[in-house]
Amino acid sequence: AHRLTESRARWTVPLTEVLVKATSDGVALHVVLVGRESELPAQDGVPEHHLRVGPLPLRVAAPLLPGNRPHHVVRAYGVFGGLPRVLHQLDTSVTVGTNVRRLVLDLDGSLADAPQSWLEREVQKPSRYMAIMRTLAFGEADWGTIHDGVPDLTRSGQVAPYLKRLEQLGMIEVRTALDAKPGSRASRYQLSDPFLAFWFRFALPWRLTPQPHAPEPPLREHYADHIRPGIVSHMERMMPTLARRHMERESLETVGASVRECGSLWGPEHDIPVAGVLSNGAVFYGRSAWDAPPRDDSPLDRLDVDVRQTRYGFGRERRLRVVFSGRPAPTWLRREAARRPDAQLVEASELLGE
């Protein structure tokens, strides 16, 4: 629909007239407009419903992702995300690395400059927008951190219109802590899809070097030396979002109740990436990790410390601890979770519903 508006097609007036007539005649006529945003003017008597459809969730995207083991599929989602225009180009018969080399690192690849070209179609000068997204590629950040990532901005308020526009385009999301005081403006921003984070973190720096333009660019060597080792830390930053979205959608099978609210908790003395309230009134607190944590740094022990620093959920009869593990969890962590009636371990197979 937004393309029709941009081309100045005169379609809104007759469409509105048809809808008004259908409503007055009692005809159940429904028109679905698919696009970035609807420019249809509001009319009395014509009910409107707006639905923002974001990237596909992990379970829906899984059949389109490469990988023959659960944690391989989760890793593929952490690289290629859930955007249909990215997923339909993947070859599920080869590895994540091969897909990255063919589609992203090769200058002739269909995803080589995808996020940049998406921005260039929407904004006239994408450099500041790209600087913001480059900052967020390393994880969610607050206002000050984002401002510092755009060197030619002199005042912090100058970053506001860029963040607003990126949010309108569906490229970033803004979150407020569940335990924030009323009226608090302390927010965190994050990229809306893992592929955006992957491209701005790994592909953009590669494109700015002479190597991609060589007669025989070292695609395999660059992936092995610079990208594959960094995917571990990249997945660590993607896991909290995957965990929150799992609780929002599949908490019923994980903890036996649907979610009433879900988000994060943070403050001067605590930072809990996954938290919320279930429909049965219980509160849950969660931590996530891609690689197995060391035995002397138990995520359940860390949760216990953080929970004592927040009043969110204080006084509730049931307070659950949920640990999300991308790669197979070590035996000691499985045993620790099994010993505690208030603890639940969620691994890649559970994230995928297997």
Side-chain angles (χ1 to χ4, degrees):
H2 66 277
R3 295 300 184 197
L4 290 171
T5 301
E6 291 168 357
S7 65
R8 299 182 180 179
R10 298 179 179 179
W11 60 280
T12 57
V13 173
L15 177 58
T16 302
E17 292 175 351
V18 170
L19 287 170
V20 170
K21 186 176 187 304
T23 302
S24 62
D25 293 345
V27 178
L29 175 62
H30 302 274
V31 177
V32 179
L33 303 178
V34 180
R36 186 182 67 245
E37 57 188 18
S38 173
E39 299 292 340
L40 183 64
Q43 294 289 332
D44 293 337
V46 179
E48 293 185 27
H49 302 281
H50 296 271
L51 177 64
R52 169 170 287 186
V53 180
L56 298 179
L58 172 61
R59 291 191 183 184
V60 179
L64 304 174
L65 293 166
N68 53 15
R69 299 180 65 182
H71 67 278
H72 292 164
V73 177
V74 174
R75 180 183 61 185
Y77 187 82
V79 172
F80 292 108
L83 296 172
R85 53 184 166 180
V86 172
L87 293 172
H88 86 274
Q89 300 182 62
L90 302 181
D91 184 350
T92 57
S93 66
V94 298
T95 64
V96 167
T98 301
N99 275 288
V100 170
R101 294 195 300 270
R102 292 177 179 175
L103 301 174
V104 181
L105 297 184
D106 189 332
L107 291 184
D108 294 326
S110 56
L111 300 175
D113 62 350
Q116 181 176 346
S117 64
W118 299 340
L119 269 176
E120 289 174 342
R121 287 199 296 264
E122 305 295 346
V123 299
Q124 291 183 344
K125 297 180 180 180
S127 58
R128 288 180 176 175
Y129 296 93
M130 293 183 66
I132 291 173
M133 297 181 75
R134 167 73 173 161
T135 299
L136 295 177
F138 292 86
E140 62 182 12
D142 57 20
W143 187 290
T145 303
I146 295 173
H147 175 264
D148 293 341
V150 187
D152 58 335
L153 295 182
T154 56
R155 294 180 290 105
S156 63
Q158 290 179 299
V159 78
Y162 299 97
L163 292 173
K164 183 178 180 180
R165 182 59 174 151
L166 287 171
E167 188 178 1
Q168 290 174 340
L169 294 174
M171 290 185 168
I172 68 170
E173 300 171 348
V174 56
R175 304 191 307 113
T176 303
L178 293 175
D179 56 349
K181 296 181 180 178
S184 173
R185 300 180 62 183
S187 300
R188 290 180 176 179
Y189 298 82
Q190 65 178 27
L191 295 177
S192 60
D193 185 73
F195 177 69
L196 296 175
F198 179 85
W199 191 90
F200 277 95
R201 178 172 179 177
F202 296 106
L204 180 59
W206 157 256
R207 291 179 59 79
L208 298 178
T209 69
Q211 297 182 76
H213 305 277
E216 295 184 3
L219 306 181
R220 187 178 298 275
E221 294 81 358
H222 182 79
Y223 180 83
D225 297 340
H226 298 282
I227 296 181
R228 186 166 56 193
I231 287 182
V232 173
S233 62
H234 172 75
M235 289 303 303
E236 288 289 345
R237 290 170 172 83
M238 295 299 105
M239 280 298 296
T241 300
L242 295 183
R244 286 191 295 270
R245 291 177 179 170
H246 173 82
M247 293 302 293
E248 291 169 355
R249 295 173 177 272
E250 289 95 29
S251 64
L252 185 62
E253 64 185 56
T254 299
V255 293
S258 57
V259 160
R260 186 181 301 166
E261 70 173 4
C262 182
S264 304
L265 307 170
W266 64 77
E269 298 180 344
H270 68 280
D271 197 327
I272 304 176
V274 188
V277 179
L278 301 174
S279 58
N280 60 10
V283 177
F284 64 90
Y285 312 89
R287 280 201 169 276
S288 64
W290 173 248
D291 258 345
R295 192 162 188 169
D296 58 354
D297 188 23
S298 167
L300 288 171
D301 292 342
R302 292 178 62 188
L303 270 177
D304 290 338
V305 172
D306 281 341
V307 168
R308 288 194 290 267
Q309 303 301 322
T310 176
R311 293 192 60 81
Y312 184 82
F314 181 79
R316 298 273 180 165
E317 183 177 350
R318 294 191 62 199
R319 297 201 289 175
L320 306 176
R321 275 71 163 167
V322 187
V323 175
F324 299 86
S325 178
R327 293 177 58 83
T331 302
W332 67 265
L333 181 55
R334 295 179 181 177
R335 290 175 176 173
E336 184 178 351
R339 285 195 299 266
R340 293 185 52 162
D342 65 342
Q344 180 74 37
L345 177 62
V346 179
E347 299 186 68
S349 56
E350 285 83 14
L351 291 175
L352 291 170
E354 298 181 358

